[in-house]
Amino acid sequence: AERKERGRALLPWASFGENLTTRGLRESVVRIGDRYRIGGAEFIVTQPRLPCYKLEVKFGRSDMIKRFVSVDRSGFYLAVEQEGEIGAGDAIELIEQHACDLTVAEAYRLKLGGGTRDRIELAANHPALARGWRESFERQLE
């Protein structure tokens, strides 16, 4: 079904410019501020990824951003909290789930204009969310 939807064979790893390709870390479960250990390194989830025009250029499709947004699978950025060696096949271990229940998927939807004022306020004040995202939510509230 996915092949038919994309109109091409399965895409190779890193087709969307990701540095890490994972299984099981779904945007609907991963929270902004969650801390993970991969190999000898530790990371914190800071924000969803937003699609840009480069997707349309790379795939030669003028509808790529629209398609990307519609699947609610943005990916997300990780800040390095502790440097260390990582390698293919290393386990990804949740070492601390952030107390605030703002998932990557919800932050993404809020950025695209969905959600209630109280959830936007939560995002605007979330200490682990990237500063630019917090500022964007603050502007929405004004």
Side-chain angles (χ1 to χ4, degrees), residues 9-69:
L10 287 175
L11 299 171
W13 298 113
S15 291
F16 294 98
E18 66 272 22
N19 294 320
L20 297 174
T21 303
T22 65
R23 290 184 198 262
L25 289 181
R26 298 301 302 237
E27 292 86 341
S28 60
V29 175
V30 173
R31 295 178 179 186
I32 301 297
D34 282 357
R35 296 174 53 88
Y36 289 91
R37 180 178 295 116
I38 307 171
E42 292 183 12
F43 303 89
I44 187 167
V45 178
T46 60
Q47 70 183 65
R49 290 180 60 178
L50 285 176
C52 72
Y53 75 92
K54 293 178 185 177
L55 279 177
E56 294 182 346
V57 171
K58 180 176 184 169
F59 291 97
R61 296 185 63 135
S62 62
D63 65 344
M64 276 305 287
I65 291 175
K66 181 179 176 183
R67 292 165 58 104
F68 192 84
V69 168

Side-chain angles (χ1 to χ4, degrees), residues 17 20-21 28 42 56 59 73-74 81 83 94 98 106 132:
L20 297 174
T21 303
S28 60
E42 292 183 12
E56 294 182 346
F59 291 97
R73 292 185 63 193
S74 63
E81 289 287 297
E83 293 182 10
L94 175 64
H98 199 278
E106 183 181 12

Side-chain angles (χ1 to χ4, degrees), residues 106 109-121 140:
E106 183 181 12
R109 285 190 302 272
L110 290 172
K111 182 76 167 178
L112 296 177
T116 61
R117 181 172 180 82
D118 64 319
R119 298 306 287 179
I120 295 169
E121 286 175 355
Q140 281 185 18

